[in-house]
Amino acid sequence: QPQLVESGGGLVQPGGSLRLSCTASGFAFDSYAIGWFRQFPGKERERVSCISGSADTTQYIEAVLDRFTISRDNAKNTVYLDLNRLKPEDTAVYYCAATRGYWQRLWYTGRVEHWGQGTQVTVSG
């Protein structure tokens, strides 16, 4: 049974940092691009960042560029999203997602095969 489990969310003050983790099981992790999405209340889920299966390509939306860093450890079946210099407008539920094959399928077409359950990030001071 394919599964993604996020952790690391929480409450942090503006300017603070968090590390989100997404641990996978039940599928060939290194064959999948992994993405992070977020959802604001009353809004549709939006992409934030993604990383290819081999970790040679990463993508970010402009709003998080130079503040968030995505990485993966295929030996641990885990992808990380380091959130730095957090702003109140980063407050959202963050989801990880997995798509088999090319990262472009996830990033440009939004085709997701597996979703995590989400983790809340709240930036407030």
Side-chain angles (χ1 to χ4, degrees):
Q1 183 86 359
Q3 191 174 22
L4 295 170
V5 178
E6 300 101 332
S7 62
L11 173 64
V12 63
Q13 292 186 341
S17 299
L18 285 172
R19 166 171 268 204
L20 305 183
S21 299
C22 171
T23 300
S25 60
F27 60 94
F29 183 70
D30 58 0
S31 296
Y32 283 69
I34 303 295
W36 285 95
F37 291 71
R38 64 186 180 184
Q39 189 166 23
F40 304 111
K43 302 289 186 181
E44 290 189 1
R45 212 169 286 188
E46 68 171 24
R47 64 186 187 178
V48 175
S49 180
C50 80
I51 188 167
S52 62
S54 61
D56 60 353
T57 301
T58 58
Q59 297 288 327
Y60 301 91
I61 59 171
E62 187 172 351
V64 307
L65 196 59
D66 296 329
R67 297 191 298 121
F68 293 6
T69 303
I70 193 169
S71 61
R72 67 190 294 161
D73 184 341
N74 285 346
K76 296 182 178 179
N77 281 10
T78 300
V79 167
Y80 305 98
L81 187 67
D82 290 306
L83 288 62
N84 297 305
R85 303 200 306 278
L86 280 160
K87 305 175 181 179
E89 52 263 43
D90 294 318
T91 295
V93 179
Y94 285 71
Y95 298 88
C96 66
T99 298
R100 186 172 183 175
Y102 297 115
W103 62 268
Q104 294 93 328
R105 292 183 65 224
L106 186 153
W107 193 246
Y108 293 118
T109 70
R111 293 180 184 175
V112 173
E113 295 171 38
H114 311 302
W115 286 101
Q117 83 286 355
T119 186
Q120 176 72 46
V121 171
T122 302
V123 185
S124 177

